[in-house]
Amino acid sequence: MASSAAAAPSTHPRLRQIAAVQHRLELLLEAERDQLVLWLPVMVGAGIAAWFVLLRRSEWTAAMLGLVAVACLAAAMGRGGRANRAVAVGALAMAIGLGLVWWRAERVAAPVLPRPVVAAFTARVERVEPLVARELVRLSLSPIDVPALPRRVRVNLAEADAPVGLTRGAVVRLRARLMPPPGAAVPGAYDYGRVAWFAGVGATGRGFAPVEVVTAGNLDNGMRTALTRHIGERVAGSAGGVAAALATGDVGSIAEEDAEAMRAAGLAHLLSVSGLHITAVVGATMLVVMRLLALWPALALRVRLPFVAAAAGAAAAVGYTLLTGAEVPTIRSCVAALLVLAALAMGREAMTLRLVAAGAIVVLLAWPEALAGASFQLSFAAITAIVALHDHPWMRVFAEVREEGVLRRWGRGAALLLLTGVVVEAALMPIAVYHFHRAGLYGALANMVAIPWTTFVVMPLELLALILDGAELGAPVWWLVERALWALLWLARVVAAAPGAVRAWPVMPDAAYASIVVGGLWLALWRTRWRRWGAAPLAVGIGWAAMTPAPDLLVSGDGRHAAVRTEFGAMALLRDRAGEYMQNVLTENGGVKGAPMTLDGLPGARCSADLCGVDVSGRRVVMTRSAYLVPAVELIAACKRADVVVSERRLPVGCRPRWLRLDRDVLARSGGVAVGLRGGWTATVRRAGDEHPWVLAAGQKDVGAGLRRP
């Protein structure tokens, strides 16, 4: 009898410990039962992210099958516990997310131009986007008479070359230099190739005059273009560009220096139609409808005015979304607004984390690829941080309405606004560093002024001016709009010019970013004390990102452009004629703020018209800088003395540097390269065996031997 009792599983010390842990976990999940559903979009997003991180079809298939197996095993072992059910649902949601984005990538598949060409072709105009500040017109075209071209191409035209009648639906004949959608120039840079794949764009390029309109299209380019032009005629310069951006989402008329100031000041979100704009439109519509309907007592007594106002607000949100081009970020904001209006109509709390989760699920199911974009991450991080902060018991007590003096009430409101701004900036800063390699320090303070100013002054004035224009009485109000917008731009310039306003960062490792995201979500979505555990991965990710070394050498995928880090922390370019875009890419991804210098002006660099040699971090780097051939004997001798050799050409077999050779053949396989000369590491744009469809469509090959990731 005694031996039988000793053999019972419940008396084994290890099993008792496991049972105690399971019991404790069940108690924690029971306390958090209302929060578990919030993790559903997180797990779907984790599956989508896994598809982007994993490289091969075999890995995607294995991951999906493994997740389904985990879900089945957890369901079989559930026995009524929340933990096993949560694991089962989470694993299944991850599998759905992975499969969904894979299916989406295959579904949008379209031909991609294999190599640069100069082509004369006839095409139908799908979209016309004036870029007034750059004196360009961007066309989305569908070629008709050249089957070898992709189904959709994007072409920039000089404003002077755009003929009369170039409107949506027109058929035009033109000549253009086209190239495949470019991938990231260097590791960490913007990957337009991926974005173009999901947009169905197979080629981009520059069109040349003459451009002939073969068949006329619509009389104009739609209400959006007409409204943008109308606003530009009323308000000049960048102020008119900002006014147009607030109304239609068109940012093409904003001067680049003003757009950069808005970005540096943390105010760039005001230029893209997002939740702020949708909220202002919906709120104004509901207020006007409520006030007008309340003038009829008989109607007010028989009809639920909040329900009617919510319906009008929903119609305004949908109409505004269509007016601004129905871009994915705007649709996302519209969906969130409709969910909030539905909650108001049903008498529920207007803004909760459940509504945020529902909006995220809708977007991820419709556009799973949006998860990889900065827009999705910024918008949902901001709203999640705001709702989670104001849902905290301490914040509810601090923000509740009470009888107090005007000064205390205004002070409390200012403190709430500042605290909200600080929390939102803290939530958005890692995303800005990961995607844009920069972070603003004064964004919270700038937004304390800019958001109320835009919401309660600029947008109402602009709406009033547009209404009065129907009777040709809007000129005085447009003058006020212009003054208000110049004040907003002045604020952006002052904040951007402040010392330390923007801090540049090198490329953040993916794993560090993932750790920060996990920690932030853990802190935001749980309510009990174990939410504090999120501080650990958050601190690990921040520390990892802070200790990540900046590259000492950056080389573009074609080998034409390179930059080395100087001993003063600046970036020195190989070619002084590198375009502004390439200069920005090399400096931003090098973690440097400010204009770069050239190697010719770097002390210790020895440069000729064809070759440039420089010592960087104790290693000798030699680079070719012209298309002219260097005598083989001279080049081979330079290679022997060098640790790293970079060239846009194929180097001779005898060119054997001591460590790394980056010539045309190697770069064709690796793409752009970042090199840490101190630590002896390399990072490449392309990864060995990558089978993502935009990579395969571009005919990219495996990474060459001799390169390794840090």
Side-chain angles (χ1 to χ4, degrees):
M1 189 74 175
S3 62
S4 176
S10 61
T11 61
H12 195 284
R14 183 61 57 84
L15 294 178
R16 285 201 303 269
Q17 291 175 359
I18 294 175
V21 171
Q22 290 177 336
H23 179 67
R24 177 60 178 165
L25 181 60
E26 289 294 336
L27 291 177
L28 287 171
L29 293 177
E30 178 64 25
E32 296 278 12
R33 61 186 181 275
D34 292 336
Q35 306 299 104
L36 290 176
V37 69
L38 302 179
W39 289 91
L40 187 60
V42 175
M43 301 312 293
V44 173
I48 296 172
W51 183 82
F52 282 105
V53 171
L54 299 175
L55 299 179
R56 301 171 180 85
R57 294 173 180 269
S58 59
E59 295 175 352
W60 306 334
T61 303
M64 288 183 63
L65 294 177
L67 289 168
V68 172
V70 169
C72 293
L73 180 62
M77 298 176 60
R79 298 181 182 178
R82 290 188 185 274
N84 286 319
R85 289 204 303 271
V87 171
V89 173
L92 189 59
M94 281 190 66
I96 290 173
L98 196 156
L100 186 64
V101 68
W102 187 0
W103 171 82
R104 169 77 172 166
E106 298 292 342
R107 182 174 177 270
V108 301
V112 175
L113 193 69
R115 63 185 61 85
V117 297
V118 176
F121 59 97
T122 303
R124 187 175 302 278
V125 178
E126 294 183 352
R127 188 171 182 178
V128 180
E129 300 175 77
L131 305 178
V132 179
R134 297 167 56 188
E135 297 183 345
L136 294 174
V137 176
R138 178 171 295 160
L139 305 177
S140 294
L141 304 172
S142 178
I144 297 173
D145 59 344
V146 183
L149 291 181
R151 293 198 295 265
R152 179 180 296 172
V153 301
R154 186 169 293 173
V155 173
N156 287 342
L157 279 178
E159 264 186 352
D161 296 338
V164 177
L166 186 63
T167 59
R168 182 164 46 88
V171 176
V172 297
R173 184 178 294 116
L174 73 162
R175 183 169 168 268
R177 184 182 187 277
L178 301 176
M179 60 183 295
V186 295
Y190 180 65
D191 188 356
Y192 180 69
R194 185 195 71 225
V195 176
W197 176 265
F198 286 101
V201 176
T204 63
R206 183 67 181 257
F208 310 116
V211 179
E212 178 186 355
V213 178
V214 178
T215 305
N218 300 334
L219 294 179
D220 54 45
N221 285 313
M223 184 181 296
R224 184 189 188 201
T225 302
L227 184 57
T228 299
R229 186 185 306 113
H230 175 82
I231 293 173
E233 293 170 352
R234 298 300 187 275
V235 182
S238 290
V242 175
L246 295 176
T248 68
D250 190 338
V251 297
S253 300
I254 304 174
E256 180 57 33
E257 56 270 22
D258 290 319
E260 177 60 29
M262 295 286 284
R263 287 191 289 267
L267 303 179
H269 63 93
L270 298 176
L271 304 179
S272 61
V273 178
S274 59
L276 173 66
H277 307 78
I278 296 288
T279 300
V281 170
V282 171
T285 302
M286 291 184 65
L287 178 64
V288 171
V289 170
M290 285 282 289
R291 291 293 184 266
L292 290 177
L293 294 181
L295 297 177
W296 285 271
L299 182 65
L301 293 173
R302 292 175 174 82
V303 178
R304 288 184 57 197
L305 296 188
F307 182 84
V308 177
V318 173
Y320 185 55
T321 300
L322 295 175
L323 172 65
T324 55
E327 302 289 345
V328 172
T330 314
I331 295 175
R332 183 172 61 245
S333 302
C334 181
V335 168
L338 294 178
L339 289 172
V340 171
L341 292 173
L344 288 173
M346 292 186 294
R348 302 292 184 88
E349 191 173 351
M351 183 54 69
T352 65
L353 286 175
R354 289 197 172 201
L355 280 176
V356 177
I361 281 288
V362 170
V363 174
L364 291 177
L365 292 180
W367 303 279
E369 72 277 7
L371 178 80
S375 176
F376 177 94
Q377 297 172 23
L378 289 169
S379 60
F380 274 101
I383 190 62
T384 299
I386 292 172
V387 176
L389 172 66
H390 288 266
D391 194 45
H392 194 280
W394 182 86
M395 281 296 295
R396 286 182 177 269
V397 172
F398 183 76
E400 67 183 3
V401 179
R402 64 195 72 185
E403 291 292 335
E404 58 185 354
V406 175
L407 291 179
R408 289 181 64 86
R409 186 167 64 250
W410 279 64
R412 189 183 304 275
L416 282 171
L417 191 60
L418 177 60
L419 182 59
T420 301
V422 170
V423 170
V424 170
E425 280 297 311
L428 299 186
M429 189 174 293
I431 303 174
V433 171
Y434 180 74
H435 287 281
F436 311 119
H437 319 301
R438 59 170 61 190
L441 301 181
Y442 308 133
L445 296 175
N447 278 288
M448 278 187 63
V449 177
I451 290 178
W453 182 257
T454 303
T455 306
F456 301 113
V457 177
V458 175
M459 294 187 72
L461 282 175
E462 187 170 348
L463 178 61
L464 178 61
L466 289 171
I467 294 173
L468 292 177
D469 274 351
E472 298 184 356
L473 298 175
V477 184
W478 281 119
W479 183 86
L480 294 175
V481 171
E482 185 172 8
R483 301 280 81 73
L485 287 171
W486 279 118
L488 180 65
L489 290 170
W490 173 84
L491 173 66
R493 296 188 193 105
V494 169
V495 173
V502 179
R503 167 78 185 275
W505 293 78
V507 176
M508 182 188 297
D510 293 342
Y513 183 59
S515 182
I516 293 173
V517 171
V518 169
L521 288 172
W522 195 275
L523 287 170
L525 300 187
W526 295 127
R527 284 188 172 180
T528 56
R529 290 183 177 179
W530 79 332
R531 74 192 304 177
R532 300 173 184 173
W533 294 3
L538 187 64
V540 169
I542 293 174
W544 190 348
M547 292 186 294
T548 299
D552 298 304
L553 171 65
L554 286 171
V555 182
S556 64
D558 58 6
R560 287 182 53 80
H561 302 285
V564 299
R565 181 175 301 278
T566 70
E567 59 182 352
F568 308 107
M571 298 299 287
L573 303 183
L574 173 64
R575 298 173 186 263
D576 55 0
R577 294 187 178 182
E580 183 179 356
Y581 171 77
M582 185 56 64
Q583 291 183 27
N584 291 336
V585 166
L586 293 174
T587 53
E588 289 175 3
N589 288 272
V592 172
K593 178 178 176 290
M597 59 187 301
T598 61
L599 280 175
D600 293 303
L602 186 65
R606 298 182 61 185
C607 297
S608 66
D610 303 315
L611 283 176
C612 207
V614 61
D615 291 324
V616 183
S617 300
R619 291 183 181 263
R620 185 67 176 174
V621 180
V622 172
M623 296 171 280
T624 63
R625 62 190 314 196
S626 77
Y628 295 100
L629 293 178
V630 179
V633 175
E634 179 184 345
L635 184 57
I636 291 173
C639 290
K640 289 181 179 179
R641 296 190 298 269
D643 295 287
V644 181
V645 176
V646 178
S647 177
E648 64 180 301
R649 306 193 300 268
R650 182 183 292 110
L651 293 172
V653 176
C655 179
R656 297 176 180 175
R658 289 189 287 264
W659 178 42
L660 191 61
R661 166 174 158 157
L662 299 173
D663 65 353
R664 185 173 68 184
D665 290 343
V666 174
L667 293 171
R669 298 189 297 269
S670 69
V673 180
V675 182
L677 296 172
R678 294 180 179 87
W681 57 265
T682 60
T684 60
V685 169
R686 300 171 192 163
R687 299 175 292 174
D690 195 337
E691 296 181 4
H692 287 99
W694 58 91
V695 177
L696 296 178
Q700 298 170 356
K701 302 177 182 179
D702 289 354
V703 179
L707 299 181
R708 62 183 180 87
R709 300 185 67 81

